Amino acid sequence: MTSIAAPPLSRAHRIGRWALQRLVGGVVVLAATATIVFFAMRLIPGDPAEAILGGPGSQTSAEALARVRAEYGLDDPLGVQYLHHLARLATGDLGTSYSLRMPVADVIGPLLVSTLVLAFSALAVAWALAVPLTLFSTRGSRVAALVGNGLELTAASLPHFWLASILIVTFSTGLGWLPPISTGGVLGLVLPTLTLAIPVAGFLAQVMRDSLLDALASPFVLASRARGAGDARVRFVHALRHAALPGVNLTAWAFGYLVSGAVVVETIFARPGLGRSLVSAVLDRDVPLVTAIVVVTAAAYVLIMIVADAAARIADPRIEERA
């Protein structure tokens, strides 16, 4: 009796199954992140109960400290506290901020929007800068290659605090075109966005330049030229699409880089956001707020990474075949 082979899965089904596996892996990453944050915050010197009551200088009584420890479960063994910590996060309960005395979900909601607006704006600007720079450095001219390589290396190596200072001195103090601090409007977003975007643009241009040069020398591009396609059509329609794939794969890393860079940028430009609030929460030993910010940021990073990998698989079926 012969067995009938199962029909092959459709490409959409395969990508969906792959995405589900990545989501399960993302949950494991988030659990590990929450675990690291929990024990790292416990290693910071000081008593969390004192932080809840206003810090070491609050001169609270021993009775008040005991009451707070019992209320927040801080008198339980560390293992029990950890299990309660994971259980709350699993149900979506982010707890109450020690320093702000309000639900953490209400605190990080507006901050998350502000940081995501900054990160995605910087990512869009980085791509807008990287694509022309890549096309310029691969024109075939030795001068263009040297200038493009120099701009890529310079942009990628600029530290955020130095670049922010130069932009403030130039466009705020010198020219007076833009505000030196975030004002909540579009103009207040320009300098923080440029500060984050320029280094990322350098990295993206470096990766796409090599890929574009390989694509321009590939057989399908040579065949397009033989059929009479012009240089602009070859570069924009055929080669650039393939050259952008490494940049798409780098987008997930770039997003994490932008969110981590937001800690410095939001502080320099006095912009409300997750990065600036994370620094304050660590100093205040606000364990629920620190945990929520780190876990939410990690969740956003995991989702961006899955979307970027899925986009690369859809654009290039060879990735799925190699996998």
Side-chain angles (χ1 to χ4, degrees), residues 137-140 208-218 235 243:
S137 63
T138 56
R139 292 175 58 188
M208 289 193 296
R209 171 172 48 83
D210 296 335
S211 182
L212 182 57
L213 290 174
D214 292 339
L216 290 173
S218 61
R235 285 175 171 270

Side-chain angles (χ1 to χ4, degrees), residues 41-51 55-56 69 74 284-285 287:
M41 292 299 295
R42 293 304 188 277
L43 293 176
I44 298 177
D47 187 352
E50 288 186 350
R69 292 190 186 100
L74 298 175
D284 294 336
R285 287 184 58 88
V287 178

Side-chain angles (χ1 to χ4, degrees), residues 31-318:
T33 301
T35 300
I36 293 172
V37 173
F38 175 83
F39 288 104
M41 292 299 295
R42 293 304 188 277
L43 293 176
I44 298 177
D47 187 352
E50 288 186 350
I52 297 172
L53 293 174
S58 58
Q59 297 181 350
T60 53
S61 63
E63 292 79 7
L65 289 173
R67 185 170 60 253
V68 167
R69 292 190 186 100
E71 179 181 354
Y72 286 86
L74 298 175
D75 53 354
D76 293 331
L78 188 61
V80 175
Q81 295 183 43
Y82 168 67
L83 293 177
H84 289 166
H85 168 75
L86 288 185
R88 286 195 301 268
L89 291 178
T91 59
D93 182 10
L94 301 179
T96 302
S97 170
Y98 292 169
S99 58
L100 300 177
R101 304 292 196 278
M102 59 185 301
V104 171
D106 296 338
V107 175
I108 67 172
L111 300 177
L112 177 62
V113 172
S114 178
T115 297
L116 289 181
V117 167
L118 176 60
F120 282 115
S121 299
L123 192 59
V125 172
W127 272 98
L129 295 175
V131 170
L133 183 57
T134 302
L135 294 173
F136 173 79
S137 63
T138 56
R139 292 175 58 188
S141 168
R142 183 174 179 82
V143 175
L146 290 175
V147 173
N149 292 346
L151 290 175
E152 293 165 5
L153 290 173
T154 302
S157 60
L158 292 176
H160 288 136
F161 66 90
W162 184 88
L163 181 56
S165 302
I166 295 299
L167 292 176
I168 291 173
V169 170
T170 303
F171 294 102
S172 297
T173 307
L175 299 175
W177 292 351
L178 298 169
I181 61 174
S182 182
T183 58
V186 176
L187 290 180
L189 184 63
V190 174
L191 292 185
T193 298
L194 288 176
T195 302
L196 286 175
I198 290 176
V200 173
F203 286 113
L204 290 175
Q206 285 180 317
V207 172
M208 289 193 296
R209 171 172 48 83
D210 296 335
S211 182
L212 182 57
L213 290 174
D214 292 339
L216 290 173
S218 61
F220 75 90
V221 168
L222 297 178
S224 298
R225 293 187 187 275
R227 289 193 298 267
D231 184 69
R233 178 176 177 82
V234 167
R235 285 175 171 270
F236 284 95
V237 177
H238 300 290
L240 187 58
R241 179 167 62 92
H242 291 271
L245 288 176
V248 172
N249 292 330
L250 196 65
T251 297
W253 166 86
F255 179 80
Y257 175 84
L258 292 172
V259 172
S260 62
V263 175
V264 176
V265 172
E266 288 172 351
T267 302
I268 293 175
F269 291 99
R271 178 179 175 82
L274 293 180
R276 187 181 176 195
S277 299
L278 178 61
V279 175
S280 300
V282 171
L283 295 177
D284 294 336
R285 287 184 58 88
D286 196 336
V287 178
L289 185 55
V290 171
T291 303
I293 291 175
V294 174
V295 170
V296 168
T297 302
Y301 176 78
V302 168
L303 290 177
I304 291 294
M305 186 167 57
I306 293 175
V307 171
D309 289 348
R313 283 173 173 258
I314 293 173
D316 188 358
R318 294 174 299 178

